[in-house]
Amino acid sequence: MSLQVWTYIIVALTFLLYIGIAIWSRARSTKDFYVAAGGVSPLANGMATAADWMSAASFISMAGLISFMGYDGGVYLMGWTGGYVLLALLLAPYLRKFGEFTVPDFIGSRYAGDDSSARINWARLVAVICALFVSFTYIVGQMKGVGVAFSRFLEIPFELGVLIGIGIVFFYAVLGGMKGITYTQVAQYCVLIFAFLVPAIFISIQITGNPIPQLGFMGDFKEEGVSLMTKLNQLNVDLGFEEYTSGTKSKIDVFFITAALMLGTAGLPHVIVRFFTVPKVKDARMSAGYALLFIAILYTTAPAVAAFARANMIDTVHGKSYENVADWVPKWRDAGLITMEDKNGDGIIQYYNDKNPEFAATAEANGWKGNEFTPDRDIMVLANPEIADLPNWVIALVVAGGLAAALSTAAGLLLVISTSVSHDLLKKTFMPDISDKKELMYARIAAGLAVILAGIAGINPPGFVAQVVAFAFGLAASSFFPAIFLGIFDKRTNRQGAIAGMVSGILFTAIYIIYFKFVFEAPAGASAEDYWWFGISPEGIGTLGMLINLVITIVVSRMTPAPSEEIQDMVESIRIPRGSGGPAEAH
């Protein structure tokens, strides 16, 4: 059976499963729509949280980045893993005890002013704007991942692939709300983890003879009897790249990127809201533990997948003739995700680092006139089974897994956007008398508009999937993290400080990212890196934005009146994370 037929069958079956679950568990009330009625079991919530958190960036892009960046790509692995631990241990139980629907809900209540008759809660309004900005940036990366998967394996244009993704996400997110999304994400976790492990096991056996990818990664290259890392280091050096196990990023940039990803994870509204869906604070702790276990399965496998893909790609491309190149190459080239050009006209593909001046003499001696093969880094996980010549059903399974990862996170983000608009902006700020039925209608309209805009932006994203997602993490770190952290652990932090901190943090970070990604053009002979502040890349600038936010929040809070006794008593209460809390009681 052909790859395309297998892809249609497996992807269609998984989509029917997701849609069936969405219909079975469709939301019938605002409580169902926002927090699944607070009745999700810890195990199910752990699986849903893992699927929600492991987006297209984790499934599709992270291993691709490690494959091309080697040691440097490990910052994404460290940052996202550390961030989840930080969230699970430091914030989740306390937020669950607080018992609200959304992150803007928490900020709006924690930083409410003394004048209860005030029409507008400015802390909540600023938090809504930040949540919309972060979530929209994040979802753009997911839509690109959907487009990459659909375009190659359904053999359709990339833009059409994105549009199909829009339709699927719109259907089950808008229909089911949090309840539908939760149970759909449980199924999506099963699909994505199975799809990630099966080809990894096959390829580990092929390359190292060990069926456990994590052990194969540390083992020997079967054909030559040398370690896999030694083999990759030599392949990279022979082609003018840095050794696979060495890094080129400065220590300060590695630190700032890792910290931005960690702190951003702890401030991501679509992950935090998952801890509001379980009945008790104890259940929030248990579901955080389950989620960490489920996430670790994929994250400990990703470095092995990256190494296998790197070795196989170089072996099947460099030095091969254009006429007899492996079948996977022209298929991805036709999808617009590989560029090839025979620059010296010898009919042989040369893949090497033509940006390395120290390698120029070697390249010239070989008659090479420049690198002739440039793949999109986001294709490596999806292309890996094809490169290894695995059966078509395995390749189709990976497509289903990539789509599950992208769509599960996109749905969670859509829910944040819709609740921010209907619940926080309309119900809690501008239209307090709105009925539940109308609130639900506005939530669905907001989700529909958001997914359409995200799809349009996803067709022309500002970087690779993992890079776009890293920008979202930086924005989350610079806006939400200090407000949430100080809101729990510092009674003296007040509304004025939180608002000033969030506004300054997210503005600084957004302006830095936009300037260096869209505005700045380096002079001839220089690169943008030469002009980064303190050598910090746009992916890592969220850490500096967070520090600015933290300092301004503390200083402004100390210069203005303390919060009311009622607010300070509430902070004391949530520091003891026991009991049920519960959105049901709060609303």
Side-chain angles (χ1 to χ4, degrees):
M1 198 179 298
S2 72
L3 171 59
Q4 195 168 22
V5 173
W6 271 115
T7 305
Y8 276 120
I9 291 174
I10 294 181
V11 171
L13 286 175
T14 56
F15 278 17
L16 285 174
L17 175 65
Y18 306 151
I19 292 171
I21 292 172
I23 294 172
W24 166 73
S25 58
R26 64 187 180 276
R28 292 181 171 82
S29 67
T30 52
K31 194 177 160 191
D32 275 348
F33 194 88
Y34 293 145
V35 292
V40 180
S41 72
L43 179 62
N45 196 49
M47 297 177 80
T49 304
D52 204 354
W53 188 68
M54 290 191 293
S55 65
S58 295
F59 189 97
I60 296 176
S61 194
M62 183 174 66
L65 282 178
I66 297 173
S67 183
F68 283 89
M69 299 170 68
Y71 176 84
D72 284 342
V75 297
Y76 293 92
L77 195 67
M78 292 187 294
W80 284 328
T81 306
Y84 186 78
V85 174
L86 185 68
L87 172 64
L89 297 180
L90 188 63
L91 301 180
Y94 303 102
L95 291 171
R96 179 61 189 85
K97 177 66 183 294
F98 192 75
E100 291 284 359
F101 279 167
T102 66
V103 172
D105 249 352
F106 168 79
I107 291 176
S109 299
R110 167 61 180 81
Y111 299 113
D114 294 334
D115 183 4
S116 59
S117 64
R119 181 186 175 98
I120 296 178
N121 181 326
W122 289 103
R124 181 191 302 275
L125 188 58
V126 171
V128 168
I129 295 170
C130 292
L132 292 175
F133 198 24
V134 170
S135 301
F136 186 77
T137 306
Y138 202 150
I139 202 171
V140 167
Q142 309 312 308
M143 298 319 294
K144 191 209 167 182
V146 170
V148 168
F150 273 133
S151 62
R152 162 62 188 90
F153 293 102
L154 299 184
E155 298 185 4
I156 57 177
F158 170 73
E159 294 80 3
L160 182 56
V162 173
L163 293 177
I164 292 174
I166 288 174
I168 296 292
V169 176
F170 177 80
F171 181 82
Y172 73 79
V174 169
L175 181 69
M178 178 58 90
K179 189 177 179 182
I181 287 172
T182 296
Y183 293 108
T184 304
Q185 285 174 335
V186 171
Q188 286 169 332
Y189 175 78
C190 297
V191 171
L192 76 87
I193 201 66
F194 185 66
F196 201 81
L197 291 180
V198 168
I201 291 170
F202 271 116
I203 298 171
S204 182
I205 293 172
Q206 279 183 353
I207 292 182
T208 69
N210 194 317
I212 301 175
Q214 291 86 344
L215 297 180
F217 176 68
M218 297 182 288
D220 290 343
F221 199 73
K222 192 168 63 174
E223 294 181 357
E224 301 179 18
V226 298
S227 74
L228 181 60
M229 290 300 101
T230 302
K231 173 70 176 177
L232 280 173
N233 281 340
Q234 190 60 53
L235 283 173
N236 270 14
V237 170
D238 289 347
L239 298 175
F241 298 99
E242 293 290 331
E243 285 189 341
Y244 192 77
T245 54
S246 67
T248 58
K249 283 185 175 297
S250 65
K251 287 183 180 177
I252 189 171
D253 197 29
V254 168
F255 173 80
F256 271 75
I257 293 176
T258 304
L261 296 175
M262 287 182 65
L263 301 171
T265 301
L268 282 179
H270 76 288
V271 177
I272 291 173
V273 76
R274 289 235 53 89
F275 296 103
F276 299 149
T277 65
V278 291
K280 299 177 181 176
V281 175
K282 179 184 176 185
D283 297 330
R285 289 185 186 278
M286 290 178 65
S287 64
Y290 282 128
L292 189 59
L293 173 65
F294 296 139
I295 290 168
I297 296 173
L298 188 145
Y299 268 56
T300 55
T301 309
V305 170
F308 300 153
R310 181 74 177 168
N312 274 340
M313 187 200 74
I314 293 174
D315 185 56
T316 55
V317 171
H318 178 69
K320 307 299 181 187
S321 73
Y322 278 86
E323 289 185 356
N324 298 316
V325 71
D327 291 341
W328 67 273
V329 175
K331 291 176 180 175
W332 284 98
R333 182 192 57 197
D334 294 344
L337 296 166
I338 285 179
T339 56
M340 299 171 67
E341 181 185 0
D342 189 3
K343 294 179 179 176
N344 60 357
D346 65 352
I348 304 297
I349 302 171
Q350 283 96 46
Y351 171 67
Y352 70 101
N353 183 10
D354 57 3
K355 302 289 190 302
N356 181 1
E358 297 177 2
F359 194 71
T362 303
E364 186 176 356
N366 290 330
W368 300 346
K369 301 296 184 184
N371 176 46
E372 300 179 352
F373 179 82
T374 307
D376 187 309
R377 295 179 182 182
D378 288 334
I379 74 171
M380 292 312 297
V381 168
L382 295 177
N384 202 20
E386 285 184 290
I387 299 172
D389 201 24
L390 296 185
N392 284 340
W393 69 267
V394 177
I395 301 170
L397 185 63
V398 175
V399 179
L403 290 171
L407 296 178
S408 61
T409 304
L413 292 163
L414 275 183
L415 195 70
V416 169
I417 292 173
S418 63
T419 53
S420 294
V421 171
S422 64
H423 181 70
D424 298 305
L425 201 62
L426 298 181
K427 177 77 174 180
K428 291 295 186 78
T429 305
F430 295 114
M431 301 168 68
D433 298 326
I434 190 174
S435 66
D436 276 5
K437 188 175 179 181
K438 282 196 172 181
E439 186 183 345
L440 200 57
M441 179 186 73
Y442 285 125
R444 287 173 166 147
I445 291 173
L449 291 175
V451 75
I452 291 171
L453 292 175
I456 294 171
I459 291 173
N460 296 293
F464 302 113
V465 173
Q467 282 182 314
V468 177
V469 169
F471 298 149
F473 276 69
L475 294 169
S478 64
S479 56
F480 284 130
F481 182 77
I484 295 173
F485 178 78
L486 294 173
I488 295 171
F489 296 104
D490 180 27
K491 291 193 296 184
R492 186 61 179 79
T493 298
N494 63 11
R495 175 171 57 97
Q496 295 89 335
I499 292 174
M502 285 191 290
V503 171
S504 56
I506 198 166
L507 277 181
F508 167 79
T509 304
I511 290 171
Y512 190 91
I513 291 172
I514 291 170
Y515 178 72
F516 278 106
K517 296 302 293 185
F518 300 104
V519 180
F520 180 77
E521 291 185 10
S527 69
E529 296 179 21
D530 301 330
Y531 295 86
W532 291 344
W533 289 9
F534 314 109
I536 303 170
S537 64
E539 289 87 347
I541 199 63
T543 302
L544 188 56
M546 186 281 298
L547 292 173
I548 292 172
N549 179 340
L550 188 71
V551 171
I552 290 178
T553 301
I554 293 173
V555 170
V556 172
S557 293
R558 266 55 182 181
M559 294 173 64
T560 47
S564 65
E565 287 296 326
E566 182 182 357
I567 294 291
Q568 296 193 44
D569 290 343
M570 180 178 67
V571 175
E572 286 281 2
S573 170
I574 62 175
R575 284 181 189 172
I576 305 171
R578 293 195 294 267
S580 63
E585 291 78 1
H587 298 266

